Amino acid sequence: MSYSPSPDVEKNVDTIDLVLASGQETASSASVHSSDASTKGSEVAVEKDLELPKIEYRLPAKNGRSSFTRWLNHIFFSVYRKTFTVIFFANLIAFIVIVAQHGGRPAAPDVGSAASANLMVTLLFRQENFVNVAYEIAVACPHSAPVWVRAKLAKVFHYGGAHSGSGVAAVVWYIMYTACTTRDYIQMPSSAGLANVITSYVLVTMFCLIVAGAHPTFRRMYHDYFEALHRYSGWVALCTFWVHTIFAGNEYRMMESNPPVSLGRYLIGTPNFWTLCISTSCTILSWGRLRRVRVYPEVLSDHAIRLHFKYRDMPPFYGLKISNRPLLEWHAFATIPDDDVDHKGRKGFSLVVSNAGDWTNQAIKTPPTKLWVRGYPLHGLLYTSKLFKKIVVVATGSGIGPCLSLFYANATPRRIFWSTPAPEKTYGDKIMKTVLTADPEAVIWNTRTQGRPDMVAVTYQLVMEAQAEAVFIISNPKLTQRVVFGMQSRGIPAYGAIFDS
């Protein structure tokens, strides 16, 4: 059913009237709708002869001593930043130890191995299969575990902190390595040493461009340039790294033994060679799956379109990257399993695209019939919802798209709060039906006619009504942060997408 607020609710954002069955009564509610997977959405009929009491749920005060400490705990010291900090400072300690142990003159091969190891970790946390394994390990935690344990594991989607932390550390290590190779060349000039120094400076330049371009401000303002800079600098660096590894091996093998071993034997005996092999494999695995596939567009309105794919089936809780210009830009979307079977017996999947920029606007005005896809489907934020016994799902606008996969899976009982202008007109009957099937009492707030709701207050209402363990929100950055902070500062686990990962 659609939720229609009274004028009092719209005026008072701190007080929400909620109709609940009293815990003291037995079999005294009108009808209870459950989205538990075990009941499969069945309606349990109970007696209707007693009136239900009306209970007010007022937003409690936020936890913490002050607004500053709350900001530190719930916003600034995010798991993403904590992960970044732990990895970076662990490398910094190792950096200091190596320098101290060698009296300020560390061996270049040792420093190079540390740099390439961090580079490997950086790329692993962008490799789809590796990230999916991390999700599977986290979500394997049983519901019998304490909520605080499961709430911590649900933060696995902050893995971007490991990617950026290792990446920045790799750059620092490589600057040090370049200084070491320059020192060695000055002391013992050789043709291999010169090539080693030149390729080292090329690598440092590429790494610095990647790090500078990945700054959140630059990413937000010039995303297409960031993507191109990240990709092409990375490719140049990877190719240069192989050339550099051969020249460096040819130089340093002469210093380590007499007579020197062959170049091949020396290389396979170094950690640098094997970490570079893994790093290269990460790139090949992703781009080796590049293909152009058929698309079946379904125009929902002048604001949204649903793109259907039939080249493979797709389980719930996966996302996919698509593009019409694979060397320039990619766009990640959550996928939704389809039910319609094609002539090959495949159901396929779909994704919802709404007007949020140049690319999405073009896709709606000129629906594509073919698109490029790359990499393996990737788990996302909503997959961690399986860690909880019951959740509240909050979405605004096209944020309902990623949630449809969760509704399809029907793995976790949930309440739904969807705020959007003209939902039926914009997104069509099918999506409305899917939402109401997932939660017959879903709060569907039409901002066109009802104005803007207090997202935190209504979300808290649903949490208390359902006795949910966690909140998941799919929305824009500003609103996501507001709702997540509003819940976490009141002791309720809440999760929203990371926009600078």
Side-chain angles (χ1 to χ4, degrees):
M1 57 180 276
S2 179
Y3 179 84
S4 298
S6 66
D8 291 334
V9 173
E10 292 183 355
K11 293 176 182 177
N12 188 347
V13 299
D14 287 331
T15 303
I16 305 295
D17 288 334
L18 179 63
V19 178
L20 289 177
S22 171
Q24 305 299 320
E25 303 290 339
T26 57
S28 59
S29 62
S31 68
V32 180
H33 296 278
S34 172
S35 53
D36 193 325
S38 62
T39 63
K40 297 184 179 178
S42 63
E43 180 177 298
V44 182
V46 294
E47 296 178 14
K48 302 181 180 180
D49 53 344
L50 295 177
E51 289 238 358
L52 300 179
K54 215 170 195 179
I55 299 177
E56 276 190 356
Y57 285 101
R58 184 182 295 273
L59 276 173
K62 299 185 179 87
N63 300 331
R65 296 180 180 178
S66 66
S67 58
F68 179 69
T69 58
R70 286 191 291 268
W71 176 80
L72 285 178
N73 291 333
H74 302 297
I75 297 179
F76 186 78
F77 289 121
S78 65
V79 173
Y80 180 96
R81 287 194 174 110
K82 289 176 182 176
T83 305
F84 178 100
T85 303
V86 168
I87 291 177
F88 184 79
F89 277 97
N91 276 277
L92 183 60
I93 292 170
F95 183 97
I96 294 170
V97 169
I98 289 177
V99 172
Q101 283 181 340
H102 293 82
R105 297 176 61 86
D110 293 340
V111 178
S113 294
S116 59
N118 276 278
L119 179 63
M120 176 190 70
V121 174
T122 302
L123 292 177
L124 279 174
F125 278 99
R126 278 294 179 263
Q127 207 286 314
E128 297 90 356
N129 300 91
F130 182 85
V131 172
N132 285 344
V133 169
Y135 270 102
E136 295 293 349
I137 293 172
V139 173
C141 181
H143 285 173
S144 58
V147 174
W148 69 267
V149 173
R150 290 180 278 130
K152 295 288 186 184
L153 289 172
K155 298 281 182 80
V156 65
F157 66 94
H158 287 262
Y159 64 85
H163 168 78
S164 55
S166 299
V168 173
V171 175
V172 175
W173 279 110
Y174 215 82
I175 290 173
M176 182 179 179
Y177 174 81
T178 303
C180 291
T181 57
T182 303
R183 176 202 64 197
D184 293 341
Y185 176 71
I186 293 173
Q187 293 176 348
M188 295 181 60
S190 67
S191 56
L194 178 61
N196 188 16
V197 170
I198 293 173
T199 52
S200 293
Y201 278 97
V202 171
L203 282 169
V204 166
T205 302
M206 294 299 105
F207 288 156
C208 289
L209 285 173
I210 291 172
V211 170
H215 189 276
T217 303
F218 184 85
R219 280 183 68 166
R220 285 192 294 267
M221 295 180 64
Y222 309 102
H223 186 80
D224 289 346
Y225 293 104
F226 148 75
E227 201 171 327
L229 185 64
H230 220 66
R231 178 173 303 117
Y232 292 116
S233 295
W235 286 353
V236 171
L238 194 59
C239 294
T240 306
F241 218 137
W242 274 110
V243 175
H244 166 75
T245 298
I246 294 171
F247 281 117
N250 202 36
E251 178 185 7
Y252 290 113
R253 73 185 177 93
M254 306 295 290
M255 302 179 184
E256 291 199 357
S257 60
N258 190 20
V261 298
S262 66
L263 176 60
R265 187 182 294 272
Y266 176 83
L267 288 177
I268 63 174
T270 60
N272 186 54
F273 174 79
W274 296 107
T275 54
L276 186 54
C277 283
I278 294 174
S279 300
T280 305
S281 299
C282 290
T283 302
I284 293 174
L285 276 173
S286 180
W287 286 92
R289 291 166 170 153
L290 180 69
R291 63 172 71 180
R292 195 164 184 247
V293 298
R294 179 78 182 174
V295 181
Y296 302 89
E298 175 191 356
V299 177
L300 303 177
S301 66
D302 58 1
H303 183 76
I305 188 171
R306 191 167 181 173
L307 303 178
H308 296 265
F309 299 78
K310 294 295 183 182
Y311 72 94
R312 60 162 292 170
D313 289 336
M314 187 74 71
F317 299 114
Y318 280 99
L320 192 68
K321 298 171 185 173
I322 60 174
S323 176
N324 52 6
R325 298 186 299 170
L327 295 179
L328 295 178
E329 60 179 346
W330 285 89
H331 305 271
F333 291 91
T335 63
I336 310 154
D338 277 348
D339 288 323
D340 300 329
V341 180
D342 68 359
H343 66 283
K344 294 182 179 179
R346 289 181 295 211
K347 293 183 178 181
F349 63 94
S350 61
L351 49 88
V352 176
V353 179
S354 68
N355 190 357
D358 294 339
W359 189 89
T360 53
N361 183 43
Q362 185 64 28
I364 294 169
K365 289 183 176 179
T366 310
T369 56
K370 286 191 175 182
L371 285 172
W372 292 91
V373 296
R374 172 171 69 86
Y376 192 82
L378 180 69
H379 280 316
L381 163 70
L382 292 177
Y383 189 53
T384 61
S385 66
K386 295 174 70 175
L387 281 163
F388 300 99
K389 297 175 184 177
K390 196 164 191 178
I391 62 173
V392 170
V393 179
V394 181
T396 60
S398 59
I400 199 66
C403 302
L404 297 178
S405 183
L406 183 150
F407 304 157
Y408 182 95
N410 201 25
T412 307
R414 90 284 313 164
R415 289 302 312 277
I416 300 169
F417 174 26
W418 181 24
S419 174
T420 186
E424 198 162 3
K425 179 182 177 182
T426 305
Y427 297 97
D429 294 338
K430 288 183 181 179
I431 290 180
M432 285 287 291
K433 182 180 178 182
T434 301
V435 172
L436 291 172
T437 300
D439 178 9
E441 296 179 350
V443 178
I444 302 177
W445 195 296
N446 186 345
T447 58
R448 191 72 52 83
T449 59
Q450 296 172 266
R452 294 186 180 276
D454 185 302
M455 300 294 293
V456 175
V458 178
T459 300
Y460 182 77
Q461 168 196 340
L462 294 181
V463 170
M464 299 305 294
E465 173 190 353
Q467 292 299 295
E469 291 184 328
V471 171
F472 287 81
I473 177 170
I474 306 295
S475 183
N476 58 66
K478 185 177 180 180
L479 196 52
T480 295
Q481 181 172 298
R482 184 191 306 166
V483 173
V484 170
F485 177 75
M487 294 297 104
Q488 288 185 337
S489 61
R490 293 175 172 88
I492 300 168
Y495 307 92
I498 303 291
F499 295 93
D500 290 320
S501 60

